[in-house]
Amino acid sequence: MSHLWWVRILAWFEARNFDEGATLMVFGAIVGVVSGLGVVVFYRLIDFSHFIFIEWPAPWLPRYAVVVYLPLLTAIGLWAAWFIVRRTRIAEGQNVPDVQVAVAKRDGVIRTYPVAVRTVASAFTLGSGGSAGAEGPVAVLGAAVGSSLGRRLRLQPRHVKILVGCGAAAGIAGAFNAPFAGAFFALEEVLGSFAVAAFSPIVIASVVGALTVRPFLGDSPIFQMASAADSHVIESALLYPILGIACGLASALYARLYLAAPGAIRRMPGPAWLQPLAGGALTGLIVLLSGGLLSGNGHLAIPASIFGGLDWYVLIALAFAKILATVITLGAGGSGGVFTPTLFIGAALGGGLGVLGDAAIGGDLIDPKAWALVGMAGMVAGATRAPLTAIFMVFEMTDDYSYVVPLMLVAVISFVTAKRYSAHGLYDGWLSARGEHLAHGVDQAIMERLRIREAIDANARTVEPGATLDDLIAKASGTRHVVIPVVESTGEYVGLITHHALREAIVARGDLARLLLAEDLAEPVEVLHPGQSFREALGAMNTRGMDALPVVTRGATPMFLGLLTRGDILVAYERELTHAV
């Protein structure tokens, strides 16, 4: 019966011959409302979990044993999250990188049941005191809403992908009360493309998602502080690059530890169920030793003292303690996102360096509170490799235009520094560990998916090894390529004559003209095979400095199949891109 309703709705839209973009904006708004309500439900689930795991048992436990029972309660919550995932046998993933894979390689198909299970597991992790973020689960939950709607309406795959981005944008916008950041997160991280067709529906969904959540979670900026216009005098611009470099280095360390933690924890002796218990207990102990500054109930709550209200060494120690607690929580079987902990790390690191700089330089040149806020953007840009999202996120959370210039400066410097010292960030590193290469979203996914056989020029003009220089000149004048393959009459590949080699032979031919043959000029350049990807082909061309390479069969006797040029790759890439988003 429900299927008939979907058919009628789709028929209604088709009968009115709406513009494609207008239809997607309507569906994007619907996804925004449902995703926003999903954010509210998820936060209520976190509150319930926090009550069950922390608040309800606390009065029954002796206060003098807090050092034992608080880590124990976190350990139980982490074990519960691990157990529900293990018991339901859902596949690994249901996180932001997994959504990226769904968009790039699965036509936007995201299964609802695994996402629902992972959402409950994330609520258990966050509610029991685990160090993780709520933004990942709400983004994935919204993406699943968009995917489900698009598939129920039997939309084209490229439209389903856009609705997936709409859901992710609405989830982020609702969680952080930041519609611009939600939109750019979806475009920059989920879709990996700023295509015009996707922009309007995603912006609509992001705004609607934020508006849906505001009656429940409030509509004021997350960090309400006095204007920091006087904190960003022109002289301080010379000091902000130091913060950018520090955030980049910390981001690289964070990413490396995050990617190494699961393997290290799996090598721990003992049964698998012991890992979440040990990880939860250690996380709880770290939180306890922080004096409660690292504790939370899953909502974005950064204590005011983190913004420069403590000694510099305490704040920097808290930043690294948060990194450790987060990688242990997620590496030991907990579920959740990495965005919110990254904001905390950036605030503590920026605040600590701000306090240190203010004490060393004086003169009110450095405002530790401003450095803490800007540090948040620096860490997000470096750790997630999403500088635009980082800039818009912190700007919207402060609603203060005086932060725009330092946010841009620190985010970009941190991004560049992090890439220098860590090959991968938090998201693309998770993908790389599983053999996926989506560092540039759907664009690089296309380059990885397309095969050389799809763009070979099988009609490229060839010459036999015994061809003379005059034959080569005649052949070169009738081909569009800057190279001439040398091929035996049997089809066996011999080598490639480049434009440079032919030109040198023409200039210096003299009395040697009758002696020079094609096989004398042929060079043994690197060859390609039809099953390789476009990404591999471009890598080979860049390494050799070539614009065209021969494609041959595998085996002891390589048979010539054709030429592949950069132009052929570009044509095939653009053709595929028009169908991707």
Side-chain angles (χ1 to χ4, degrees), residues 447 450 455 534 537-538 541 564-574:
M447 300 301 288
L450 290 178
F534 278 12
L538 281 177
M541 290 179 183
L564 181 72
T565 68
R566 291 181 188 270
D568 295 330
I569 291 176
L570 181 60
V571 169
Y573 168 79
E574 290 181 340

Side-chain angles (χ1 to χ4, degrees), residues 160-387:
V160 175
K161 295 176 186 180
I162 291 175
L163 292 185
V164 167
C166 289
I172 292 293
F176 291 105
N177 189 25
F180 274 130
F184 275 94
F185 177 85
L187 294 167
E188 189 175 24
E189 283 292 340
V190 176
L191 295 183
S193 169
F194 287 85
V196 175
F199 191 82
S200 296
I202 285 177
V203 169
I204 292 294
S206 187
V207 171
V208 171
L211 292 175
T212 302
V213 172
R214 284 178 180 178
F216 302 93
L217 302 182
D219 60 353
S220 58
I222 293 177
F223 302 111
Q224 292 178 300
M225 295 185 176
S227 176
D230 296 335
S231 303
H232 305 308
V233 294
I234 190 64
E235 291 85 353
S236 65
L238 300 175
L239 299 174
Y240 272 118
I242 298 174
L243 177 58
I245 294 172
C247 288
L249 294 174
S251 298
L253 175 65
Y254 182 22
R256 286 176 175 271
L257 290 177
Y258 171 76
L259 298 174
I265 292 173
R266 279 195 294 268
R267 290 192 293 271
M268 187 180 77
W273 56 264
L274 189 60
Q275 296 170 11
L277 286 174
L282 186 54
T283 299
L285 184 60
I286 293 173
V287 170
L288 187 65
L289 292 176
S290 73
L293 290 174
L294 294 179
S295 63
N297 59 358
H299 298 265
L300 178 57
I302 301 179
S305 57
I306 297 298
F307 295 92
L310 298 170
D311 291 330
W312 67 268
Y313 53 86
V314 175
L315 289 168
I316 294 177
L318 285 171
F320 289 103
K322 187 65 173 178
I323 291 176
L324 191 60
T326 303
V327 300
I328 292 173
T329 296
L330 298 177
S335 296
V338 293
F339 213 106
T340 306
T342 304
L343 291 172
F344 185 104
I345 295 164
L349 179 64
L353 293 176
V355 172
L356 177 61
D358 184 46
I361 299 175
D364 295 326
L365 187 62
I366 295 178
D367 182 354
K369 292 181 180 179
W371 274 50
L373 285 166
V374 176
M376 294 163 69
M379 277 299 299
V380 170
T384 67
R385 308 293 165 90

